[in-house]
Amino acid sequence: MGTDVQRDHRSLKLSRREWFTRCLQAGGAASGALLLGAGCHFPTPTSLGIVAPSPQWLPPPRAARLSTDVWRVLNRAAFGPTPGLVAAVADIGIVHWLEDQLADAMPEDPYLTWHVSGLDTLQTEQDDPNELFAEPNEQLVIETGKAALLRAIYSRHQLREVMADFWANHFNIYALKLDGRALIPTDTERVIRRHVFGRFEEMLQASAHSPAMLTYLDNRDNKKGIPNENYARELMELHTVGVHSGYTQYDIMQVARCFTGWSVGSGFREAQFVFRPQWHDEGAKQVPFLHLSLPPNGGQRDGEKVLSALAHHPATAHFLAAKLCRHFLGSEPPALVERAARAYLKSDTSIRALLRPILLDGLTNADLCQPVLKRPLDLVVSALRCFAAETDAGDGLQTHLANMGQPLYQWPMPDGFPEKTSAWASALLPRWQFAFALATQGIPRTRIDLEAPLKARKGGEAQMVDIYVETVFGRPAGAQELARVRGLLHGHFRRARSAGVPDEVCKAELVALMLAAPEFQWKG
């Protein structure tokens, strides 16, 4: 068996998953391990003692205000609570939980690590990014989205995943343009995730050197004499200082000259940054907005000096602080924006320092927070998390995201998926369809256990609605802001039972209605 299978793998005719499948078919499985040739075993999670964590179906605190505050924080600094998380955060304190998330030092769940690291795209990216060009386009898109979804749903590092999504939108790249499908997995791992809490200057430099970004914003063809201004324009307008910061068209033209020759290789260097000296404009350059005077023959350093100046510019500090305040708070409190901007500049562009006042002084203050409508990604992940769903995060789930308007890595414009309520409020039907599909087990390879919270809480028929309310909304059923939805649900349940609707249908309808309710659609 081994000879044919191994020959196929060495010649790269098969993906790793196909290779392991062929080996399984040829050699069989024994006690969760796969025999590969002479004594080589491919282990399963179970054979390594790696099991999915068991949900803790604990009720939220009886103090309605406390549970409401925790629920709000977990829907903004995380992708929503999992069973028992509201009670756990209330017990240790919101500030303590936020500090733990900012520190980002806890070990990741081995079950998640196993499944994400097993994706073909991530394995190939780590071995040699060039190999991604041999993967099917559809697989590249699905698996890149799958990695993001699995991490958002299951990771203990929730703030990291929220910020990874934020930066992926900030440095948006459209997967369906040119080689985007094959280049984005490497950009995601080496630009976004590597620097998610680090220094913004380092992330900006990494993004500017990224083949995915250079391809998407056309800088790979930026040459002296005919400079392409696309990257220079978006670098200033969207990535750093913002459109109203005072730069001019002349500044954009000069910045574009600084990035001539920044390109992408071919052949064996197909997925790598290359600087082409013969394409670079070696003349002197002036960027008045940045107070930069660059002498002739600066080469690649011309662009790197521009990036450093932009990262440290006060307008960039203010632009990032205001954008993060909108993201987490739904508002831009002027004093808080200024405090976060100063922290960013004083800390040499530290993202963690920028976040600290926004989270610890802003997110913990209900008066500074405005309602924020969940984007499709937030809605889907929070629904899966509140019921500890089992999912492969594959095309079955991603189809619902696409129907709601947020197919991952497929926003064509460089500004990233919008966060404004008006961008999402009109597409309600696909949201309701997702809620009912999830509650009725209608999403392939995705399942929630509607009986689990009832069994864990030992609730009979009289308590069923309230247990589901507390499971979905993360607050005591008697909380004032849930009075409307709770009353409607109790009424629906009574009518359904009197009409002879089977129990399993009643439960699915109740959960679907909760997930479709405005109280769940908003972050609070």
Side-chain angles (χ1 to χ4, degrees):
M1 90 73 181
T3 304
D4 291 339
V5 174
Q6 291 165 0
R7 184 185 302 120
D8 278 340
H9 182 58
R10 284 195 301 267
S11 63
L12 298 179
K13 293 179 181 178
L14 299 179
S15 71
R16 288 169 174 79
R17 183 176 295 116
E18 292 170 329
W19 181 55
F20 289 140
T21 300
R22 184 79 66 82
C23 290
L24 178 60
Q25 294 169 343
S31 303
L34 181 63
L35 184 64
L36 299 178
C40 180
H41 296 276
F42 175 65
T44 64
T46 304
S47 71
L48 294 178
I50 300 173
V51 296
S54 299
Q56 302 295 315
W57 300 98
L58 301 174
R62 295 297 95 187
R65 178 57 187 269
L66 174 60
S67 60
T68 298
D69 287 345
V70 173
W71 193 81
R72 181 186 69 252
V73 169
L74 290 177
N75 271 291
R76 299 180 188 225
F79 280 100
T82 50
L85 187 57
V86 171
V89 173
D91 186 51
I92 66 172
I94 292 173
V95 171
H96 187 164
W97 182 83
L98 286 170
E99 290 283 12
D100 281 348
Q101 291 291 313
L102 279 166
D104 199 38
M106 70 191 83
E108 186 55 277
D109 186 279
Y111 191 77
L112 169 62
T113 302
W114 174 274
H115 285 285
V116 171
S117 63
L119 295 173
D120 282 353
T121 50
L122 288 189
Q123 290 182 351
T124 304
E125 183 276 329
Q126 292 165 5
D127 295 343
D128 182 358
N130 283 5
E131 291 184 16
L132 288 167
F133 286 89
E135 300 286 348
N137 282 338
E138 183 178 2
Q139 179 183 350
L140 289 168
V141 173
I142 292 293
E143 287 204 0
T144 305
K146 183 182 289 191
L149 281 166
L150 288 172
R151 286 162 164 161
I153 296 165
Y154 297 118
S155 178
R156 296 168 179 168
H157 300 260
Q158 280 293 290
L159 182 60
R160 180 208 292 167
E161 299 312 319
V162 168
M163 288 304 299
D165 175 63
F166 174 86
W167 291 124
N169 272 291
H170 186 79
F171 293 103
N172 182 60
I173 298 168
Y174 181 41
L176 305 188
K177 179 178 177 179
L178 300 176
D179 297 327
R181 298 175 183 85
L183 295 172
I184 283 178
T186 303
D187 183 271
T188 298
E189 297 303 314
R190 304 186 185 187
V191 176
I192 304 300
R193 299 189 65 81
R194 182 174 295 177
H195 301 287
V196 72
F197 285 131
R199 293 176 55 241
F200 181 74
E201 181 183 358
E202 293 178 352
M203 180 183 283
L204 186 66
Q205 293 275 2
S207 175
H209 289 80
S210 166
M213 183 61 74
L214 293 168
T215 297
Y216 172 57
L217 292 181
D218 307 315
N219 205 87
R220 71 178 187 182
D221 299 318
N222 189 5
K223 306 175 184 179
K224 62 183 177 183
I226 48 171
N228 188 304
E229 298 174 3
N230 199 20
Y231 175 68
R233 180 176 294 105
E234 307 305 351
L235 170 66
M236 301 184 76
E237 176 179 338
L238 297 175
H239 299 171
T240 55
V241 293
V243 68
H244 299 301
S245 55
Y247 63 85
T248 67
Q249 176 62 25
Y250 180 78
D251 292 300
I252 293 174
M253 293 167 59
Q254 294 298 297
V255 169
R257 290 179 62 210
C258 292
F259 286 100
T260 49
W262 287 50
S263 190
V264 181
S266 57
F268 288 111
R269 303 193 68 186
E270 192 170 20
Q272 299 177 36
F273 168 81
V274 295
F275 177 70
R276 303 184 188 277
Q278 69 277 19
W279 289 8
H280 185 64
D281 183 339
E282 290 290 8
K285 305 170 186 70
Q286 302 284 335
V287 188
F289 175 75
L290 297 176
H291 306 291
L292 271 183
S293 180
L294 301 172
N297 303 314
Q300 185 177 328
R301 286 290 295 152
D302 286 345
E304 291 168 348
K305 288 178 180 178
V306 166
L307 293 168
S308 182
L310 284 169
H312 288 86
H313 198 284
T316 297
H318 189 277
F319 180 72
L320 294 176
K323 187 172 183 177
L324 282 163
C325 279
R326 290 195 304 272
H327 182 79
F328 285 107
L329 312 181
S331 66
E332 300 176 38
L336 188 59
V337 171
E338 292 304 322
R339 198 181 318 152
R342 286 196 303 269
Y344 168 89
L345 293 172
K346 288 177 64 176
S347 63
D348 194 19
T349 78
S350 165
I351 295 169
R352 191 175 272 109
L354 170 65
L355 281 172
R356 190 174 296 279
I358 296 172
L359 297 177
L360 301 181
D361 300 331
L363 192 53
T364 58
N365 186 343
D367 293 336
L368 295 180
C369 297
Q370 298 297 317
V372 175
L373 182 67
K374 293 178 180 177
R375 299 165 306 153
L377 174 65
D378 303 314
L379 173 66
V380 166
V381 175
S382 61
L384 294 167
R385 281 175 60 79
C386 74
F387 270 98
E390 297 177 6
T391 182
D392 73 340
D395 54 354
L397 193 63
Q398 292 184 45
T399 296
H400 281 276
L401 271 175
N403 290 343
M404 285 185 264
Q406 197 176 5
L408 298 184
Y409 303 101
Q410 294 179 53
W411 183 258
M413 305 303 292
D415 55 352
F417 285 105
E419 294 199 2
K420 291 182 178 179
T421 297
S422 58
W424 305 108
S426 61
L428 295 180
L429 182 58
R431 290 171 174 254
W432 299 337
Q433 290 171 332
F434 162 73
F436 277 85
L438 180 63
T440 58
Q441 319 297 349
I443 303 176
R445 300 176 302 283
T446 296
R447 181 180 179 276
I448 61 174
D449 186 351
L450 299 181
E451 298 295 330
L454 304 178
K455 291 178 181 176
R457 299 276 299 277
K458 297 180 172 61
E461 182 178 301
Q463 292 81 39
M464 182 172 67
V465 171
D466 285 358
I467 289 174
Y468 280 148
V469 164
E470 294 182 351
T471 298
V472 172
F473 299 110
R475 286 162 282 178
Q480 183 177 357
E481 65 269 27
L482 297 179
R484 183 193 71 85
V485 67
R486 184 188 181 206
L488 292 173
L489 292 167
H490 275 288
H492 177 82
F493 178 64
R494 287 193 298 269
R495 290 190 296 272
R497 292 307 302 272
S498 63
V501 176
D503 280 353
E504 62 272 17
V505 176
C506 279
K507 293 169 185 175
E509 287 182 350
L510 285 172
V511 169
L513 288 170
M514 292 180 199
L515 297 177
E519 288 82 355
F520 188 78
Q521 298 283 322
W522 292 78
K523 293 185 178 182

